[in-house]
């Protein structure tokens, strides 16, 4: 099956710094990827839809200037958490569809962000 | 996006069959039903997908009644390693790339 990877798997940063998380589709091209955030014992919350070659579409309540998304190629989307604060500590997960019309999404392993 | 409702949690003994039901009353004509499994600190993993009637693969079965307003994920002979959160998602099927909304999920605890 399709494989999606994320890097890093775990990151600790100081408050006020920025952190970049990468999401890669390893064996397929993805013009669209999705970014989720998951707090402990909670469900996944969709943050934004990442579109290759165009601006990301953010869900209501998600600050686009704080969570910068870049989808520069058909296999890579990045999420940058800018000026991170402790409340941004969470589990960030990306996903992608191998092709249009297919509803089966493949999820990355997630990135644990801890802001101290 | 269709909203889904699942039981928050379920317990089952090892070796038993587990059935998790999901309600999705406002499912659209083109929507598919997909179930995912998630272990702690991991991304969700695809289990099974269906549109109507019954779908079976090597790990589970999915039962969908004619009105498609609900669906039931059936896990045969669960083991301790099946302890996880199971999510029912509804959507997609109309072309393009479909974003999905996760519900609360069902936390399955398998007991020895």
């Amino acid at each position: 099956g399709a494989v999606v990877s994320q890097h890093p798997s775990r990151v600790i940063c100081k408050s006020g710094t920025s952190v970049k998380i990468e999401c890669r589709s390893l064996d397929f091209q993805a013009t669209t990827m999705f970014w989720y955030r998951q707090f402990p014992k909670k469900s996944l919350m969709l943050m934004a839809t990442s579109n290759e070659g165009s601006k990301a579409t953010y869900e209501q309540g998600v600050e686009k200037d704080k969570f910068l998304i870049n989808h520069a190629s058909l296999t890579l989307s990045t999420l940058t958490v800018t000026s991170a604060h402790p409340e941004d500590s969470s589990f960030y997960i990306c996903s992608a569809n191998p092709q249009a019309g297919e509803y089966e999404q493949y999820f990355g392993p997630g990135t644990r962000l801890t802001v101290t | 996006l269709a909203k889904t409702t699942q039981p928050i949690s379920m317990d089952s003994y090892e070796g038993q069959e587990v059935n998790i039901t999901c309600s999705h009353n406002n499912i659209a004509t083109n929507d598919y039903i997909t179930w995912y499994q998630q272990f702690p600190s991991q991304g969700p993993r695809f289990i099974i997908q269906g549109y109507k009637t019954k779908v079976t693969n090597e790990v589970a079965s999915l039962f969908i009644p004619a009105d498609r307003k609900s669906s039931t994920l059936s896990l045969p002979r669960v083991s301790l390693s099946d302890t996880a959160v199971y999510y029912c998602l509804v959507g997609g099927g109309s072309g393009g790339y479909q974003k999905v909304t996760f519900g609360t999920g069902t936390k399955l605890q398998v007991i020895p």
Side-chain angles (χ1 to χ4, degrees):
Chain A
V3 179
V4 175
S5 70
Q6 285 184 237
H7 177 79
S9 59
R10 185 180 296 267
V11 59
I12 301 173
C13 70
K14 292 186 176 181
S15 187
T17 62
S18 295
V19 175
K20 180 185 288 187
I21 302 171
E22 294 184 348
C23 176
R24 293 181 184 274
S25 56
L26 298 185
D27 51 2
F28 65 96
Q29 294 182 333
T31 57
T32 301
M33 292 183 175
F34 302 94
W35 285 96
Y36 297 83
R37 179 168 53 180
Q38 186 175 32
F39 292 107
K41 300 189 184 300
K42 299 294 184 182
S43 184
L44 283 77
M45 291 175 48
L46 179 66
M47 298 176 66
T49 302
S50 173
N51 305 298
E52 189 268 336
S54 63
K55 292 182 178 180
T57 305
Y58 291 82
E59 295 299 303
Q60 190 173 9
V62 178
E63 301 175 58
K64 61 180 182 181
D65 294 329
K66 181 169 183 62
F67 299 99
L68 301 179
I69 292 173
N70 186 300
H71 197 146
S73 78
L74 288 172
T75 59
L76 173 64
S77 174
T78 61
L79 169 68
T80 301
V81 183
T82 63
S83 186
H85 291 284
E87 57 265 31
D88 297 324
S89 298
S90 188
F91 193 53
Y92 292 87
I93 306 171
C94 70
S95 73
N97 290 86
Q99 58 183 323
E102 291 290 331
Y103 184 47
E104 180 178 334
Q105 288 200 22
Y106 291 90
F107 288 83
T111 297
R112 175 75 60 192
L113 170 63
T114 302
V115 184
T116 61
Chain B
L1 296 173
K3 180 181 178 180
T4 60
T5 303
Q6 305 173 231
I8 296 296
S9 64
M10 294 180 68
D11 291 338
S12 175
Y13 287 103
E14 227 180 340
Q16 291 191 329
E17 177 184 77
V18 171
N19 296 307
I20 305 174
T21 298
C22 177
S23 296
H24 29 79
N25 291 320
N26 58 341
I27 186 171
T29 302
N30 293 331
D31 285 344
Y32 281 77
I33 300 158
T34 310
W35 286 79
Y36 289 86
Q37 175 193 56
Q38 187 184 28
F39 297 111
S41 296
Q42 294 186 26
R45 184 176 72 98
F46 172 86
I47 299 175
I48 197 166
Q49 182 182 83
Y51 182 79
K52 62 180 179 181
T53 63
K54 177 183 176 182
V55 179
T56 298
N57 61 21
E58 62 275 12
V59 298
S61 294
L62 178 60
F63 299 92
I64 305 169
D67 65 6
R68 305 200 325 122
K69 293 184 182 298
S70 66
S71 59
T72 298
L73 173 72
S74 180
L75 304 172
R77 298 179 298 281
V78 294
S79 64
L80 296 177
S81 62
D82 292 318
T83 294
V85 178
Y86 293 82
Y87 292 97
C88 159
L89 277 72
V90 175
S94 59
Y97 295 92
Q98 302 294 329
K99 67 179 183 179
V100 299
T101 300
F102 280 77
T104 58
T106 297
K107 183 174 182 179
L108 173 65
Q109 180 69 51
V110 180
I111 306 165

